[in-house]
Amino acid sequence: MNSTPHTVRRSLPWLLAALSMIGPFSIDAVFPAFPLVGARFHVDNAALQQIISMYLITYAAMSLFHGAISDAIGRRPVIIAGMLVYALASVGAALSTSFAMLLACRGLQGMCAGAGLVVGRAVIRDSLEGAAAQRLMSQVMMIFGVAPVIAPMVGALLLPLGGWHGIFWLLAGFTLLLALALQLFLDETHPPAQRTRFAPRPLLAGYASFGRDRLFWPLLVSSSVNFAGLFLYIASAPRIVRELLQLSAQGFPWLFLPVVAGLIGGAWLSGRMAGRRSAKFTVSLGYAVMLLACAAHLLLALLLPAPRLPWSMLPLILHGIGVQLAFPTLTLLLLDRFPHHRGGISSVQAFASLLLCSFVAGVMSPLLSASMLHLALGASGLTLAGVLGWWRYHRITRQPLDQLLAGTDTVAAMQAEIAEPR
């Protein structure tokens, strides 16, 4: 390493935030280019939606392995290699001569993009504990929150300059620079003494051990569904902006600015609450705000015959706040179920979340995005599923949740409580 510890600490939130921005940029930046891609390859809207679904499916599948590989060989090589291959896939997408080639490159992008997000969460928990980990996670998510609004705007600005190809050239350049920054400034946080062997049998045994943990499942459901309700609106952005709001490609900020305002505000609040409010209070407040947002969406959809600006988009602010209030704490609680397999746990969480987002983008969005009322009902159903997971978590354990974030050996701390018959 060529950097001092102080430089590393100062740069860590920015590096991890940049890694987490790969996902939103990969999804949102291509939205304005949908008409041009459709015209170039002669495909309809249903086929264009697969540009998102293909990325998410491969992202989800490979995310099962990123964390386990990083548990075996370390965090740095997995993240840096992932960014380099992602850059190569972006070059291939920019040079695509057929829709099939474009989809294949999108699939390769998805396989690599998860290295940053999945392993980055493990880096946070490797480095910090308790409230400090929650604050860093919130800082990362606050910076990350800017990406969804910047991405479609950048994509729209690039269309007159380089067409849809320019979006993928930008992604290639960004990930190459990020790989260089990671090489210079990212320390290895998972030393050899703590590494586990990567092999199919131990990997499957590790995942099976996750499934036998009673607290794992409700936390997995709650943390995976946490973002899905908001993502339904994000995945439906092309149809909401162009058809329901009847705006041009320059109209995407009307949807993404409220989303980003909510995400940044919620991340800031989560960081402020770290160490001051209990985990139970923070997550419960997050879900209460999300339910309020869903109620506002339903009410506006019923009262307005057609979506109207800015009112129809304002509940997205509340939804974003709720997501970011709950997500950092949910993630840390889940990671601490198995302290020696945080990479594997992060992989499973990312797999479940992305598989759900793939379903949202590929199935729910095409079915529901013709109506704001249908979207509101879909988002409400997803949010209620997260609330039920969080409620189930409390039914299983009565231990104060802040104790789960206080140390590393949470499984041992909870063993007696879990073993008691309910």
Side-chain angles (χ1 to χ4, degrees):
M1 294 294 298
N2 298 324
S3 53
T4 65
H6 175 71
T7 302
V8 172
R9 288 196 300 270
R10 187 174 57 188
S11 62
L12 185 59
W14 295 97
L15 290 174
L16 296 178
L19 288 168
S20 67
M21 289 171 70
I22 299 296
F25 262 89
S26 300
I27 296 172
D28 301 341
V30 301
F31 282 152
F34 269 22
L36 292 179
V37 175
R40 169 63 179 84
F41 297 118
H42 308 290
V43 294
D44 58 16
N45 288 332
L48 289 171
Q49 197 66 33
Q50 303 314 309
I51 295 176
I52 306 301
S53 297
M54 176 63 73
Y55 170 84
L56 290 173
I57 290 170
T58 56
Y59 194 139
M62 191 60 192
S63 67
L64 280 174
F65 302 97
H66 287 308
I69 295 171
S70 77
D71 283 339
I73 67 174
R75 313 301 190 203
R76 287 183 78 248
V78 175
I79 297 177
I80 294 172
M83 294 304 97
L84 291 174
V85 179
Y86 181 97
L88 181 63
S90 300
V91 172
L95 299 175
S96 293
T97 56
S98 68
F99 192 65
M101 180 178 175
L102 177 60
L103 288 181
C105 291
R106 288 288 287 174
L108 185 57
Q109 280 185 323
M111 291 177 66
C112 302
L117 180 65
V118 173
V119 183
R121 291 174 184 170
V123 168
I124 291 176
R125 197 57 189 88
D126 288 343
S127 307
L128 299 168
E129 295 182 0
Q134 183 180 340
R135 279 191 290 268
L136 179 55
M137 184 79 76
S138 298
Q139 289 173 11
V140 169
M141 298 309 292
M142 190 184 305
I143 302 168
F144 153 80
V146 178
V149 70
I150 293 177
M153 295 169 64
V154 170
L157 290 173
L158 287 174
L159 291 183
L161 301 176
W164 60 271
H165 309 275
I167 295 172
F168 293 107
W169 286 119
L170 177 67
L171 290 172
F174 177 72
T175 45
L176 279 174
L177 290 175
L178 181 55
L180 176 61
L182 291 165
Q183 179 66 35
L184 294 174
F185 300 114
L186 182 64
D187 265 331
E188 178 57 66
T189 62
H190 191 57
Q194 298 180 11
R195 294 176 189 174
T196 57
R197 186 167 63 95
F198 180 78
R201 182 173 294 179
L203 180 62
L204 293 175
Y207 288 158
S209 70
F210 300 162
R212 290 192 296 269
D213 181 58
R214 292 177 63 198
L215 294 178
F216 169 76
W217 288 107
L219 282 174
L220 181 67
V221 170
S222 189
S223 62
S224 299
V225 177
N226 173 260
F227 182 64
L230 184 61
F231 184 72
L232 178 59
Y233 289 93
I234 295 174
S236 304
R239 203 165 182 183
I240 293 174
V241 171
R242 292 184 178 277
E243 296 182 18
L244 298 182
L245 296 177
Q246 297 183 345
L247 301 174
S248 68
Q250 309 304 319
F252 280 91
W254 278 108
L255 186 147
F256 285 104
L257 277 174
V259 170
V260 169
L263 292 175
I264 293 177
W268 180 81
L269 285 174
S270 178
R272 295 285 294 176
M273 289 181 179
R276 302 181 182 182
R277 292 287 188 171
S278 69
K280 177 181 178 180
F281 178 87
T282 304
V283 177
S284 299
L285 177 61
Y287 270 112
V289 174
M290 281 185 267
L291 289 174
L292 180 62
C294 290
H297 276 301
L298 287 168
L299 183 62
L300 287 169
L302 290 170
L303 292 179
L304 299 177
R308 186 179 304 168
L309 293 175
W311 313 111
S312 296
M313 300 294 104
L314 288 181
L316 294 173
I317 299 177
L318 283 177
H319 210 138
I321 290 174
V323 166
Q324 292 290 57
L325 277 173
F327 183 76
T329 301
L330 285 171
T331 298
L332 293 172
L333 289 171
L334 187 58
L335 288 175
D336 277 355
R337 293 307 305 150
F338 292 85
H340 300 295
H341 296 278
R342 291 188 182 118
I345 284 285
S346 185
S347 286
V348 172
Q349 182 197 33
F351 173 79
S353 178
L354 289 162
L355 199 63
L356 178 60
C357 285
S358 299
F359 177 78
V360 169
V363 178
M364 293 185 68
S365 176
L367 290 176
L368 303 178
S369 57
S371 162
M372 291 299 291
L373 177 59
H374 293 164
L375 286 171
L377 290 170
S380 299
L382 291 167
T383 303
L384 285 173
V387 171
L388 290 175
W390 183 239
W391 173 81
R392 176 60 180 166
Y393 182 76
H394 291 291
R395 294 282 294 176
I396 295 174
T397 176
R398 299 168 186 167
Q399 183 175 357
L401 298 181
D402 282 346
Q403 294 181 21
L404 299 179
L405 292 177
T408 57
D409 194 9
T410 55
V411 176
M414 295 295 295
Q415 188 173 10
E417 178 69 22
I418 297 172
E420 289 182 5
R422 299 297 181 194

